[in-house]
Amino acid sequence: MDWSKTKTILIWAFLLLDVFLGYQVYATRGGYWQNPEASQSEKWEMDDYLRQHNVTLDAEVPSDTPDMTYLNAEYVGIGALELQGMAGIDATLEKMALAARLKPPIAINGQITPNELLRQIGPRMMYSDQYTADLYQSNQGRLLYWQVYDKVPIFIAPLEVYLADGSILGYRQTYLNIRSQGTSRPIISAYKAIRSLVEKQVIHPGERIENVTLGYYGSYDAEIQGLAPVWRIIHDGKQHFVNGFTGAQERPLVTNYFPGK
């Protein structure tokens, strides 16, 4: 028996088996959301379902269902030493946030984007490059941003920037240390999340779905907590969060701290 030849055959056999099993995992877990025909079919089914329930879909619904994980989040605050070298602010440390008044306020010159506005604040804010704007929940007097992890917003880590008379007056900022936890796996589609809220009569006939956004969410009042992927669905000015793994509805976000539009 030629052991060298037999060993080569076995190596190739195991390699082909690995490729086959890898493809099966891809087809089962990732292939669906990358298939535009399947996504389009689900969209048509959802349009028909919402029409039957007299619910208007007036929002762009993301079609991706990426692999995601639970996250560990810890609020450690922004310490006094970090603030010492930051000129031009009058800062107050709160339980879960830093409140800062700009001294003097920064004048806004012309029309600027939310990202450009953060760059104008520049040296008067820590970690400003780690936030993304939520234009849907912003208004003329307050721009709302969320801290991001892997480009996905964290719906318990807000940055509010306050504006008046063409100037930036100050901000209130929550910043979390984030670590991934566990193995990544695919989440449910946004359409399934919407359907679950309609089935549970959280979204009522006659209502309008205004915004659908993928993000992370957890218990707001805990300094160390786990965050789950969620679909945030805003309808008729109300917002609800659907767990991206289980499809269960998460408890509402405490909104008296960050008022909506």
Side-chain angles (χ1 to χ4, degrees), residues 45-210:
E45 290 178 5
M46 179 54 60
D47 288 343
D48 185 57
Y49 177 80
L50 294 178
R51 194 178 304 111
Q52 293 175 16
H53 288 77
N54 192 28
V55 174
T56 301
L57 179 58
D58 192 16
E60 182 177 347
V61 179
S63 59
D64 290 356
T65 55
D67 285 7
M68 300 178 73
T69 67
Y70 286 105
L71 301 180
N72 281 332
E74 180 179 5
Y75 176 75
V76 294
I78 299 174
L81 290 177
E82 296 174 290
L83 297 175
Q84 282 182 357
M86 198 177 297
I89 67 168
D90 182 6
T92 302
L93 296 176
E94 301 178 348
K95 178 184 177 183
M96 295 283 287
L98 168 73
R101 183 182 300 274
L102 302 186
K103 301 176 64 177
I106 299 175
I108 301 173
N109 298 318
Q111 297 291 328
I112 63 173
T113 67
N115 288 338
E116 290 170 343
L117 185 140
L118 284 187
R119 283 195 290 270
Q120 280 200 10
I121 299 177
R124 304 199 207 182
M125 178 185 294
M126 301 287 294
Y127 314 117
S128 61
D129 60 335
Q130 298 186 37
Y131 290 84
T132 187
D134 186 346
L135 296 181
Y136 194 82
Q137 293 195 306
S138 298
N139 55 45
Q140 290 184 346
R142 183 203 65 136
L143 284 179
L144 176 63
Y145 301 78
W146 300 106
Q147 184 182 341
V148 296
Y149 177 82
D150 199 18
K151 300 182 180 180
V152 177
I154 302 170
F155 291 128
I156 62 165
L159 165 64
E160 296 179 285
V161 177
Y162 301 107
L163 314 171
D165 301 323
S167 297
I168 306 169
L169 303 182
Y171 59 87
R172 178 179 280 110
Q173 178 183 17
T174 295
Y175 181 78
L176 302 174
N177 282 344
I178 302 294
R179 298 184 304 277
S180 63
Q181 177 186 23
T183 304
S184 62
R185 51 189 170 122
I187 61 170
I188 65 172
S189 71
Y191 293 109
K192 288 183 179 178
I194 293 171
R195 188 181 186 111
S196 72
L197 293 184
V198 176
E199 289 176 344
K200 296 171 184 174
Q201 299 183 346
V202 176
I203 298 177
H204 299 102
E207 290 192 342
R208 182 173 67 96
I209 298 172
E210 305 162 8

